[in-house]
Coordinates of all heavy atoms in Angstrom, one line a residue:
Chain B
S1575 N 3.7 23.9 25.8 CA 2.3 24.4 25.7 C 1.6 23.7 24.6 O 2.3 23.1 23.7 CB 2.3 25.9 25.4 OG 2.9 26.1 24.1
E1576 N 0.3 23.7 24.6 CA -0.4 23.0 23.5 C 0.0 23.5 22.1 O 0.1 22.8 21.2 CB -1.9 23.2 23.7 CG -2.6 22.3 24.7 CD -2.5 20.8 24.3 OE1 -2.8 20.5 23.2 OE2 -2.0 20.0 25.2
W1577 N 0.2 24.8 22.0 CA 0.6 25.5 20.8 C 2.0 24.9 20.3 O 2.1 24.5 19.1 CB 0.7 27.0 21.0 CG 1.1 27.8 19.8 CD1 2.4 28.2 19.5 CD2 0.3 28.2 18.6 NE1 2.5 28.8 18.3 CE2 1.2 28.9 17.7 CE3 -1.0 28.1 18.3 CZ2 0.7 29.4 16.6 CZ3 -1.5 28.6 17.1 CH2 -0.6 29.3 16.3
D1578 N 3.0 24.9 21.2 CA 4.3 24.4 20.9 C 4.3 22.9 20.6 O 4.9 22.5 19.7 CB 5.3 24.7 22.0 CG 5.8 26.1 22.0 OD1 5.7 26.8 21.0 OD2 6.4 26.5 23.0
L1579 N 3.5 22.2 21.3 CA 3.4 20.8 21.1 C 2.9 20.5 19.7 O 3.4 19.6 19.0 CB 2.4 20.1 22.2 CG 2.3 18.6 22.2 CD1 3.6 18.0 22.6 CD2 1.2 18.1 23.1
F1580 N 1.9 21.3 19.3 CA 1.3 21.1 17.9 C 2.3 21.5 16.8 O 2.6 20.7 16.0 CB 0.0 21.8 17.8 CG -0.6 21.5 16.4 CD1 -1.4 20.4 16.3 CD2 -0.5 22.3 15.3 CE1 -1.9 20.0 15.1 CE2 -1.0 22.0 14.1 CZ -1.8 20.9 14.0
W1581 N 2.9 22.7 17.0 CA 3.7 23.2 15.8 C 5.1 22.7 15.9 O 5.8 22.6 14.8 CB 3.7 24.7 15.8 CG 2.3 25.2 15.4 CD1 1.4 25.8 16.1 CD2 1.7 25.0 14.1 NE1 0.3 26.1 15.4 CE2 0.4 25.6 14.1 CE3 2.1 24.4 12.9 CZ2 -0.4 25.6 13.0 CZ3 1.3 24.4 11.8 CH2 0.0 25.0 11.9
K1582 N 5.6 22.2 17.0 CA 7.0 21.8 17.1 C 7.1 20.2 17.0 O 8.2 19.7 16.6 CB 7.7 22.3 18.3 CG 8.0 23.7 18.3 CD 8.8 24.2 19.5 CE 9.0 25.7 19.6 NZ 9.9 26.2 18.5
I1583 N 6.0 19.5 17.3 CA 6.1 18.1 17.2 C 5.0 17.5 16.4 O 5.3 16.7 15.4 CB 6.1 17.5 18.7 CG1 7.3 18.0 19.5 CG2 6.1 15.9 18.6 CD1 7.4 17.4 20.9
H1584 N 3.8 17.8 16.8 CA 2.6 17.1 16.1 C 2.6 17.3 14.6 O 2.5 16.4 13.8 CB 1.3 17.6 16.8 CG 0.2 16.6 16.7 ND1 -0.8 16.5 17.6 CD2 0.0 15.5 15.9 CE1 -1.6 15.5 17.3 NE2 -1.1 14.9 16.2
F1585 N 2.7 18.6 14.2 CA 2.6 18.9 12.8 C 3.8 18.4 12.0 O 3.6 17.7 11.0 CB 2.4 20.4 12.6 CG 2.1 20.8 11.2 CD1 0.8 20.5 10.6 CD2 3.0 21.3 10.4 CE1 0.5 20.8 9.3 CE2 2.8 21.6 9.0 CZ 1.5 21.4 8.5
P1586 N 5.0 18.7 12.4 CA 6.2 18.1 11.7 C 6.1 16.6 11.6 O 6.5 16.0 10.5 CB 7.4 18.6 12.5 CG 7.0 19.6 13.4 CD 5.5 19.5 13.6
A1587 N 5.6 15.9 12.6 CA 5.6 14.5 12.6 C 4.5 14.0 11.5 O 4.7 12.9 11.0 CB 5.2 13.9 14.0
A1588 N 3.5 14.8 11.3 CA 2.4 14.4 10.4 C 2.8 14.8 8.9 O 2.1 14.4 8.0 CB 1.1 15.1 10.8
V1589 N 3.8 15.6 8.8 CA 4.2 16.2 7.4 C 4.2 15.1 6.3 O 3.7 15.3 5.2 CB 5.4 17.0 7.5 CG1 6.1 17.2 6.1 CG2 5.1 18.4 8.0
P1590 N 4.9 13.9 6.5 CA 4.9 13.0 5.4 C 3.5 12.6 4.9 O 3.3 12.5 3.7 CB 5.7 11.8 6.0 CG 6.5 12.3 7.1 CD 5.7 13.5 7.7
T1591 N 2.6 12.3 5.8 CA 1.3 11.9 5.4 C 0.5 13.1 4.8 O -0.2 12.9 3.8 CB 0.5 11.3 6.6 OG1 1.3 10.4 7.3 CG2 -0.8 10.6 6.1
I1592 N 0.7 14.3 5.3 CA 0.1 15.4 4.8 C 0.6 15.7 3.3 O -0.2 16.0 2.4 CB 0.3 16.7 5.7 CG1 -0.4 16.5 7.0 CG2 -0.1 18.0 4.9 CD1 -0.1 17.6 8.0
F1593 N 1.9 15.4 3.1 CA 2.4 15.6 1.7 C 1.9 14.5 0.8 O 1.8 14.7 -0.4 CB 3.9 15.7 1.7 CG 4.4 17.1 1.9 CD1 4.4 17.8 3.1 CD2 4.7 17.9 0.7 CE1 4.7 19.1 3.2 CE2 5.1 19.2 0.8 CZ 5.1 19.8 2.0
T1594 N 1.6 13.3 1.3 CA 1.0 12.3 0.5 C -0.4 12.8 0.0 O -0.8 12.7 -1.1 CB 0.8 11.0 1.3 OG1 2.0 10.6 1.8 CG2 0.2 9.9 0.4
G1595 N -1.1 13.5 1.0 CA -2.4 14.1 0.7 C -2.2 15.2 -0.4 O -3.0 15.3 -1.3
I1596 N -1.2 16.0 -0.2 CA -0.9 17.1 -1.2 C -0.7 16.5 -2.6 O -1.3 17.0 -3.6 CB 0.3 18.0 -0.8 CG1 -0.1 18.8 0.5 CG2 0.6 19.0 -1.9 CD1 1.1 19.6 1.1
R1597 N 0.1 15.5 -2.7 CA 0.3 14.8 -4.0 C -0.9 14.3 -4.6 O -1.2 14.5 -5.8 CB 1.4 13.7 -3.8 CG 2.8 14.2 -3.7 CD 3.8 13.1 -3.8 NE 5.1 13.6 -3.3 CZ 5.5 13.5 -2.1 NH1 4.7 12.8 -1.2 NH2 6.6 13.9 -1.7
L1598 N -1.7 13.6 -3.7 CA -2.9 13.0 -4.2 C -3.9 14.0 -4.7 O -4.5 13.9 -5.7 CB -3.5 12.2 -3.0 CG -4.5 11.1 -3.3 CD1 -3.9 10.0 -4.2 CD2 -5.0 10.4 -2.0
S1599 N -4.1 15.1 -3.9 CA -5.0 16.1 -4.2 C -4.6 16.9 -5.4 O -5.4 17.3 -6.3 CB -5.3 17.1 -3.0 OG -4.1 17.7 -2.7
L1600 N -3.3 17.0 -5.6 CA -2.7 17.7 -6.8 C -3.0 16.9 -8.1 O -3.3 17.5 -9.1 CB -1.2 17.9 -6.6 CG -0.6 18.9 -7.5 CD1 -1.2 20.3 -7.2 CD2 0.9 19.0 -7.3
I1601 N -3.0 15.6 -7.9 CA -3.4 14.7 -9.1 C -4.8 15.0 -9.5 O -5.1 15.3 -10.7 CB -3.2 13.2 -8.8 CG1 -1.7 12.9 -8.6 CG2 -3.8 12.3 -9.9 CD1 -1.4 11.5 -8.1
F1602 N -5.7 15.0 -8.5 CA -7.1 15.3 -8.7 C -7.3 16.7 -9.4 O -8.0 16.9 -10.3 CB -7.9 15.2 -7.4 CG -8.3 13.8 -7.0 CD1 -7.4 13.0 -6.4 CD2 -9.6 13.4 -7.0 CE1 -7.7 11.7 -6.0 CE2 -10.0 12.1 -6.6 CZ -9.0 11.3 -6.1
A1603 N -6.6 17.7 -8.8 CA -6.7 19.0 -9.2 C -6.2 19.2 -10.6 O -6.9 19.8 -11.5 CB -6.0 20.0 -8.2
L1604 N -5.1 18.7 -10.9 CA -4.5 18.9 -12.3 C -5.4 18.2 -13.4 O -5.6 18.8 -14.4 CB -3.1 18.3 -12.3 CG -2.0 19.1 -11.6 CD1 -0.7 18.4 -11.6 CD2 -1.9 20.5 -12.1
I1605 N -5.9 17.0 -13.1 CA -6.7 16.3 -14.0 C -7.9 17.2 -14.3 O -8.3 17.4 -15.5 CB -7.2 14.9 -13.5 CG1 -6.0 14.0 -13.4 CG2 -8.4 14.4 -14.3 CD1 -6.3 12.6 -12.7
N1606 N -8.5 17.8 -13.3 CA -9.7 18.6 -13.5 C -9.4 19.9 -14.2 O -10.2 20.4 -15.0 CB -10.4 18.8 -12.2 CG -11.3 17.6 -11.8 OD1 -12.4 17.6 -12.1 ND2 -10.6 16.7 -11.1
I1607 N -8.2 20.5 -13.9 CA -7.8 21.7 -14.5 C -7.6 21.5 -16.0 O -8.2 22.3 -16.8 CB -6.5 22.3 -13.8 CG1 -6.9 22.9 -12.5 CG2 -5.9 23.4 -14.7 CD1 -5.7 23.2 -11.6
F1608 N -6.8 20.5 -16.4 CA -6.6 20.3 -17.8 C -7.9 19.9 -18.5 O -8.2 20.3 -19.6 CB -5.5 19.2 -18.0 CG -4.2 19.5 -17.4 CD1 -3.5 18.6 -16.6 CD2 -3.6 20.7 -17.7 CE1 -2.2 18.9 -16.1 CE2 -2.3 21.0 -17.2 CZ -1.7 20.1 -16.4
G1609 N -8.7 19.0 -17.8 CA -9.9 18.6 -18.4 C -10.9 19.7 -18.6 O -11.5 19.7 -19.7
L1610 N -11.0 20.6 -17.7 CA -12.0 21.7 -17.8 C -11.5 22.7 -18.9 O -12.3 23.2 -19.7 CB -12.2 22.4 -16.5 CG -13.4 23.4 -16.5 CD1 -14.7 22.6 -16.8 CD2 -13.5 24.1 -15.1
E1611 N -10.2 22.9 -19.0 CA -9.7 23.8 -20.1 C -10.0 23.2 -21.4 O -10.4 23.9 -22.3 CB -8.1 23.9 -20.0 CG -7.7 24.9 -18.9 CD -6.1 25.1 -19.0 OE1 -5.4 24.3 -19.6 OE2 -5.7 26.0 -18.3
F1612 N -9.9 21.9 -21.5 CA -10.2 21.2 -22.7 C -11.7 21.3 -23.0 O -12.2 21.6 -24.1 CB -9.9 19.7 -22.6 CG -10.1 18.9 -23.8 CD1 -9.0 18.6 -24.7 CD2 -11.3 18.3 -24.1 CE1 -9.2 17.8 -25.8 CE2 -11.5 17.5 -25.2 CZ -10.4 17.3 -26.1
L1613 N -12.6 21.0 -22.0 CA -14.0 21.0 -22.1 C -14.6 22.4 -22.5 O -15.4 22.5 -23.4 CB -14.7 20.6 -20.8 CG -14.9 19.1 -20.6 CD1 -15.5 18.8 -19.3 CD2 -15.8 18.5 -21.7
I1614 N -14.1 23.4 -21.8 CA -14.7 24.7 -22.1 C -13.9 25.6 -23.1 O -14.2 26.7 -23.4 CB -15.0 25.6 -20.8 CG1 -13.7 26.0 -20.1 CG2 -15.9 24.8 -19.8 CD1 -13.9 26.9 -18.9
N1615 N -12.9 24.9 -23.6 CA -12.0 25.5 -24.6 C -11.5 26.9 -24.2 O -11.6 27.9 -24.9 CB -12.8 25.7 -25.9 CG -11.9 25.8 -27.2 OD1 -10.7 25.3 -27.1 ND2 -12.4 26.3 -28.2
F1616 N -10.9 26.9 -22.9 CA -10.5 28.1 -22.4 C -9.0 28.1 -22.1 O -8.5 27.2 -21.4 CB -11.2 28.5 -21.1 CG -10.8 29.7 -20.4 CD1 -11.3 31.0 -20.8 CD2 -9.9 29.7 -19.4 CE1 -10.8 32.1 -20.2 CE2 -9.4 30.9 -18.8 CZ -9.9 32.1 -19.2
G1617 N -8.3 29.1 -22.6 CA -6.9 29.4 -22.1 C -5.8 28.6 -22.4 O -5.2 28.7 -23.5
G1618 N -5.4 27.7 -21.5 CA -4.1 27.1 -21.4 C -3.9 25.9 -22.2 O -4.3 25.7 -23.4
L1619 N -3.1 24.9 -21.7 CA -2.7 23.7 -22.4 C -3.9 22.8 -22.7 O -3.8 22.2 -23.8 CB -1.7 23.0 -21.5 CG -0.3 23.7 -21.3 CD1 0.5 23.0 -20.3 CD2 0.4 23.8 -22.6
G1620 N -4.9 22.8 -21.9 CA -6.1 21.9 -22.2 C -6.7 22.4 -23.5 O -7.1 21.6 -24.3
Q1621 N -6.8 23.7 -23.6 CA -7.4 24.3 -24.8 C -6.5 24.0 -26.0 O -7.0 23.7 -27.1 CB -7.6 25.8 -24.6 CG -8.3 26.4 -25.8 CD -8.1 27.9 -25.9 OE1 -7.0 28.4 -25.6 NE2 -9.1 28.6 -26.3
L1622 N -5.2 24.1 -25.8 CA -4.3 23.8 -26.9 C -4.5 22.4 -27.5 O -4.5 22.1 -28.7 CB -2.9 24.0 -26.5 CG -1.8 23.8 -27.5 CD1 -1.9 24.7 -28.7 CD2 -0.4 23.9 -27.0
I1623 N -4.6 21.4 -26.5 CA -4.8 20.0 -26.9 C -6.1 19.9 -27.8 O -6.1 19.3 -28.8 CB -4.9 19.1 -25.7 CG1 -3.5 19.0 -25.0 CG2 -5.3 17.7 -26.1 CD1 -3.6 18.4 -23.6
N1624 N -7.1 20.6 -27.3 CA -8.4 20.6 -28.0 C -8.3 21.1 -29.4 O -8.7 20.5 -30.4 CB -9.4 21.4 -27.2 CG -10.8 21.3 -27.7 OD1 -11.1 20.6 -28.6 ND2 -11.8 21.9 -27.0
E1625 N -7.6 22.3 -29.5 CA -7.5 23.0 -30.8 C -6.7 22.1 -31.8 O -7.0 21.9 -32.9 CB -6.8 24.3 -30.6 CG -7.7 25.4 -30.1 CD -7.0 26.7 -29.9 OE1 -5.8 26.8 -30.2 OE2 -7.7 27.7 -29.5
L1626 N -5.5 21.6 -31.3 CA -4.6 20.8 -32.2 C -5.3 19.5 -32.6 O -5.2 19.1 -33.7 CB -3.3 20.5 -31.5 CG -2.4 21.8 -31.2 CD1 -1.3 21.4 -30.3 CD2 -1.9 22.3 -32.6
A1627 N -6.1 18.9 -31.7 CA -6.8 17.7 -32.0 C -7.9 17.9 -33.1 O -8.1 17.1 -34.0 CB -7.4 17.1 -30.8
E1628 N -8.5 19.1 -32.9 CA -9.6 19.5 -33.9 C -9.0 19.7 -35.3 O -9.6 19.5 -36.3 CB -10.3 20.7 -33.4 CG -11.1 20.4 -32.1 CD -12.5 20.8 -32.1 OE1 -12.8 21.8 -32.8 OE2 -13.3 20.1 -31.4
R1629 N -7.7 20.1 -35.3 CA -7.0 20.4 -36.6 C -6.4 19.1 -37.1 O -5.6 19.1 -38.1 CB -5.9 21.4 -36.4 CG -6.4 22.9 -36.4 CD -5.2 23.8 -36.4 NE -5.1 24.5 -35.1 CZ -4.0 25.0 -34.6 NH1 -2.8 24.7 -35.1 NH2 -4.0 25.6 -33.4
Y1630 N -6.6 18.0 -36.4 CA -6.0 16.7 -36.8 C -4.4 16.8 -36.8 O -3.8 16.1 -37.6 CB -6.5 16.1 -38.1 CG -8.0 15.9 -38.0 CD1 -8.9 16.7 -38.6 CD2 -8.5 14.7 -37.3 CE1 -10.2 16.5 -38.5 CE2 -9.8 14.5 -37.2 CZ -10.7 15.4 -37.8 OH -12.0 15.1 -37.7
D1631 N -3.9 17.7 -36.0 CA -2.4 17.8 -35.9 C -2.0 16.9 -34.8 O -1.7 17.3 -33.6 CB -2.1 19.3 -35.5 CG -0.6 19.5 -35.4 OD1 0.2 18.5 -35.5 OD2 -0.2 20.6 -35.2
L1632 N -1.8 15.6 -35.1 CA -1.5 14.6 -34.1 C -0.1 14.8 -33.4 O 0.0 14.8 -32.2 CB -1.5 13.2 -34.7 CG -2.9 12.5 -34.7 CD1 -2.8 11.1 -35.1 CD2 -3.6 12.6 -33.3
P1633 N 1.0 15.1 -34.2 CA 2.2 15.4 -33.5 C 2.1 16.6 -32.6 O 2.6 16.5 -31.5 CB 3.2 15.6 -34.7 CG 2.6 15.0 -35.9 CD 1.1 15.1 -35.7

Side-chain angles (χ1 to χ4, degrees):
Chain B
S1575 65
E1576 279 298 311
W1577 178 265
D1578 277 347
L1579 188 67
F1580 185 79
W1581 289 110
K1582 287 184 185 292
I1583 298 179
H1584 206 155
F1585 188 76
V1589 158
T1591 315
I1592 291 175
F1593 269 80
T1594 305
I1596 293 176
R1597 286 193 194 89
L1598 202 58
S1599 60
L1600 201 61
I1601 291 169
F1602 280 73
L1604 289 175
I1605 289 171
N1606 280 270
I1607 286 169
F1608 298 132
L1610 193 59
E1611 279 185 348
F1612 184 95
L1613 272 176
I1614 66 173
N1615 202 22
F1616 177 84
L1619 293 169
Q1621 184 198 35
L1622 180 63
I1623 293 171
N1624 191 356
E1625 282 179 0
L1626 292 169
E1628 297 229 330
R1629 279 187 248 150
Y1630 298 105
D1631 180 356
L1632 274 186

